[in-house]
Amino acid sequence: MTKSKTAALPGTGQGSRNLLIAALAILAVAAIAFLAPAQGYYLNIMMQAATYAIAVAGIVIVLGYCGQLALCQAAFLGIGAYCVALGTVSYQLPFFVGLAIAVVVTGIGGIFLGFASLRLGGHYLAMVTIGFQQIVTLVLTNWISFTRGPDGVSGIPRPTLFGFDLSGGSTYLALCLIFLIAVTLFALELKGSRLGRAMQAVRDNEIAAATCGINVFRTKTVAFGISAALGGLGGGLFAGAFSYISPDQFTFNESIVLLTMALLGGVQSPIGALLGTVLLVVLPEWLRFLRQAYLAVYGAAVIAIMVFLPRGVWGLISERFASRTPAEFGPVTPLPLLSQQVPGTSDAVLEVDGLAKHFGGLKAVDGVSLKVRRGSVHALIGPNGSGKTTFLNVVSGLYTATAGRIRLAGDDITNLPPHERTRRGLCRTYQNIRIFRGLTVLENVMIGAERPGNDVSGPRPTLERALAALDFVGLSKTAHLPVGDLSYGHQRYVEIARALAGSPEILLLDEPAAGLNLTEKQDMAKLLQRLRGHGLTIVIIDHDMKLIERVADQITVLNFGRGIADGEPKTVLSHPEVIAAYLGEPRNEAA
Ligand code: ADP
Ligand code: MG
């Protein structure tokens, strides 16, 4: 597999093509900048667009990639601007020192704001960011002895670099554009990186992300930090551009404008953000000839674009030119999908002892114990509502146990968070599929391959493992497709491939055949038998007795949260209590 082939993969950075487009788009902006009468008014507009676009790229990272709605980018723009303004004017620091302080201070501020995401999500987190925005505005306005209050700061100098004077209008604009290019390329690279994929996984499904081994809280915090730091960088450059700043330039209204820019251009892509920013900065200028009607027309235009282009202007363009041809891969080397284990040894991979989970008065799981031997398939069966899924949720760490102990390969994991359990080799699928819907099939499985604790080094093994896992479930041909384009049955396979790509110690499957038609069920049974043949340790929940009898070495039966039988399939399935509770009527009484 050549480098260029991997680089052209959809989603694995979207590689060189995107970079090229980015470079061209930015060159176009630069060309306009230099063709425009390089002075006064036009220059100001260009500088505003360039510095805003840097801050808007931050929104792409926190909202577009990580799915966290922050409504305070103008606050970070303001903090950055004031770092440079006060640093240079009040403390006579060199411009670039002020700019570095701006990036560091806002980055740290963003991380602290991200801490709020530990307890809060969605609307509540958005409210916190609004609160933060208002506090920053109040401080900038009222802490007069430090910020100079509503009068603002004037006389902000532009920099010199190694003796070069960068204070001329076009020279300073060029400096801003260089930063903008660097930020855009950084954001593009981030999207295809491991961290970027983790962010997108968190955006699409936090629970699945956690059980893929991603530290959700840390990922969000980093996204907030990077986003805020870009706000600070944009703000610092903004201060140099206009030599005068005041608090009213960084209010909540501005935050909404910045957000609109991102949404308008396309919040999933830094190129979209760039387009959106340029549009929203330039549009009012184009519409000035409308005089009084201009605000109304401007508003209507923005609404129209948002309504008819939900993925923004860039979403439309990139959809048009998206390649639908399957990426070509060389022959896939079957990788050791399974961790290096010795089948047949009888040590328990998973030991559960007296596990309980109560929801108020409801004892969903009530003192269940079981031992899963290495290399065996252990089935968990029982009527609907008997606590099977709840049991898996407690074992994988999504719920905390009310009582009991869980040991994985001898280590007590009862109190570990889900991603820590996954790091130790516990991987799972869900009864109701949880995949990363904004990503391609391949990207979904790559996230599984990137399981911490799975010894991958560098992007190539990740990709190869993912391809090998897809090949194992027979979906290589669909690697490039958005995962939502696949049938329900195939989405289940993607989920299994995602778990397999991480070479799990133990695989937990919650009703893998649920919702499948007859042929699909038969295929699933074959897949399970192949997995069993590889010696993978599996816990499987299913209702299909034929399937269970074919694949299971050991069966535990739950009823009303309690284990009522445990042992070899033949013995367990003929146990009278099991027949009564689960099968409803005695099986084959005559025999
Ligand atoms: P199964 O997977 O065996 O069909 P579940 O584990 O999904 O059963 O559910 C067992 C019981 O626990 C059910 O009565 C269900 O309503 C209850 N339950 C499951 N999850 C929760 C929850 N998050 N909060 C309250 N009750 C729950
Ligand atoms: Mg269930």
Side-chain angles (χ1 to χ4, degrees):
M1 200 181 315
T2 60
K3 179 82 179 78
S4 65
K5 269 177 187 163
T6 52
L9 275 179
T12 48
Q14 303 210 326
S16 42
R17 199 169 52 95
N18 256 357
L19 293 188
L20 193 71
I21 296 170
L24 287 178
I26 294 164
L27 271 182
V29 175
I32 298 168
F34 285 107
L35 286 179
Q39 48 182 301
Y41 192 60
Y42 288 99
L43 205 58
N44 280 351
I45 290 174
M46 289 300 156
M47 283 200 250
Q48 193 192 354
T51 52
Y52 269 31
I54 292 173
V56 174
I59 298 180
V60 167
I61 289 168
V62 80
L63 177 61
Y65 294 179
C66 204
Q68 307 302 304
L69 182 58
L71 294 168
C72 56
Q73 195 63 346
F76 291 118
L77 193 80
I79 295 173
Y82 270 86
C83 282
V84 166
L86 296 177
T88 52
V89 175
S90 301
Y91 300 97
Q92 278 79 45
L93 295 174
F95 178 89
F96 285 110
V97 174
L99 195 60
I101 294 174
V103 172
V104 172
V105 167
T106 48
I108 293 173
I111 288 171
F112 273 105
L113 195 64
F115 284 170
S117 73
L118 182 61
R119 300 235 164 267
L120 301 173
H123 309 323
Y124 297 102
L125 186 59
M127 290 302 290
V128 169
T129 62
I130 294 176
F132 175 76
Q133 165 73 57
Q134 302 296 20
I135 290 169
V136 169
T137 304
L138 284 174
V139 169
L140 292 182
T141 315
N142 295 321
W143 191 2
I144 295 173
S145 61
F146 182 57
T147 66
R148 309 186 179 195
D151 291 345
V153 186
S154 55
I156 305 162
R158 284 178 186 167
T160 54
L161 188 65
F162 305 124
F164 287 106
D165 182 18
L166 300 179
S167 63
S170 344
T171 339
Y172 189 79
L173 176 60
L175 176 75
C176 295
L177 287 174
I178 288 170
F179 271 105
L180 176 59
I181 292 172
V183 165
T184 306
L185 293 183
F186 163 76
L188 278 171
E189 275 302 305
L190 178 68
K191 192 171 190 184
S193 73
R194 183 175 183 166
L195 176 61
R197 261 192 298 280
M199 288 177 184
Q200 295 167 84
V202 167
R203 173 197 68 199
D204 287 349
N205 201 314
E206 271 187 36
I207 290 176
T211 53
C212 281
I214 294 168
N215 186 332
V216 173
F217 171 57
R218 196 172 63 198
T219 306
K220 283 185 192 171
T221 312
V222 169
F224 270 97
I226 296 176
S227 169
L230 292 183
L233 178 64
L237 291 168
F238 179 89
F242 295 97
S243 87
Y244 166 76
I245 57 167
S246 60
D248 57 338
Q249 291 168 312
F250 311 109
T251 58
F252 178 63
N253 284 352
E254 280 328 287
S255 277
I256 297 302
V257 169
L258 293 171
L259 179 67
T260 313
M261 288 170 171
L263 294 174
L264 186 69
V267 73
Q268 312 268 354
S269 163
I271 303 173
L274 185 54
L275 278 178
T277 311
V278 172
L279 262 180
L280 273 205
V281 172
V282 171
L283 205 57
E285 307 306 324
W286 286 348
L287 295 177
R288 260 191 217 290
F289 71 94
L290 293 169
R291 295 170 193 280
Q292 274 92 337
Y294 124 80
L295 261 184
V297 174
Y298 167 76
V302 170
I303 291 172
I305 296 177
M306 294 255 210
V307 169
F308 294 110
L309 300 177
R311 294 184 56 225
V313 177
W314 181 249
L316 181 80
I317 298 173
S318 59
E319 235 161 57
R320 264 285 166 87
F321 296 103
S323 136
R324 284 266 140 181
T325 46
E328 284 192 23
F329 304 111
V332 179
T333 352
L335 281 169
L337 284 175
L338 322 172
S339 62
Q340 305 304 314
Q341 51 195 297
V342 197
T345 53
S346 65
D347 57 326
V349 179
L350 182 70
E351 279 174 277
V352 178
D353 207 14
L355 196 70
K357 178 66 194 174
H358 300 173
F359 298 108
L362 178 78
K363 297 174 175 174
V365 175
D366 193 19
V368 175
S369 303
L370 57 79
K371 230 179 220 180
V372 181
R373 276 181 291 120
R374 189 171 291 280
S376 73
V377 175
H378 197 120
L380 196 59
I381 63 171
N384 265 332
S386 58
K388 307 180 296 295
T389 297
T390 307
F391 179 84
L392 279 205
N393 286 345
V394 180
V395 168
S396 52
L398 299 179
Y399 296 155
T400 49
T402 309
R405 294 271 125 214
I406 307 162
R407 256 181 283 278
L408 182 66
D411 298 332
D412 193 323
I413 59 163
T414 317
N415 296 314
L416 293 182
H419 65 269
E420 272 297 325
R421 301 182 195 210
T422 306
R423 194 175 71 74
R424 288 160 185 250
L426 189 126
C427 296
R428 68 167 292 179
T429 65
Y430 292 87
Q431 184 173 351
N432 303 309
I433 305 177
R434 287 184 177 273
I435 44 179
F436 306 121
R437 300 207 171 264
L439 299 178
T440 64
V441 171
L442 182 62
E443 286 168 313
N444 266 271
V445 181
M446 283 175 81
I447 289 169
E450 282 165 336
R451 175 175 77 81
N454 186 14
D455 60 356
V456 280
S457 40
R460 206 179 142 99
T462 302
L463 185 63
E464 283 186 3
R465 265 165 202 272
L467 288 172
L470 273 178
D471 195 48
F472 191 88
V473 301
L475 287 182
S476 307
K477 293 248 176 330
T478 66
H480 64 293
L481 293 176
V483 74
D485 286 5
L486 264 52
S487 71
Y488 187 76
H490 283 171
Q491 291 181 9
R492 282 213 175 273
Y493 284 129
V494 172
E495 218 190 19
I496 293 176
R498 183 178 72 191
L500 287 178
S503 302
E505 282 289 317
I506 182 168
L507 176 61
L508 314 179
L509 301 170
D510 194 352
E511 303 209 19
L516 302 189
N517 66 31
L518 204 61
T519 20
E520 289 173 330
K521 271 193 179 160
Q522 282 163 353
D523 289 343
M524 183 61 81
K526 282 185 199 138
L527 176 71
L528 292 172
Q529 280 179 317
R530 278 167 61 217
L531 283 176
R532 180 169 188 258
H534 276 76
L536 185 61
T537 313
I538 297 175
V539 173
I540 180 174
I541 297 176
D542 212 282
H543 281 301
D544 188 338
M545 278 306 127
K546 283 215 187 80
L547 179 74
I548 294 296
E549 278 185 290
R550 258 161 80 184
V551 299
D553 298 300
Q554 193 89 8
I555 298 183
T556 299
V557 187
L558 296 189
N559 197 19
F560 297 112
R562 302 191 70 92
I564 55 170
D566 186 66
E568 311 259 308
K570 285 240 149 43
T571 345
V572 168
L573 294 179
S574 53
H575 194 291
E577 206 178 337
V578 174
I579 294 169
Y582 188 65
L583 301 170
E585 57 187 81
R587 287 191 340 148
N588 220 353
E589 274 302 62

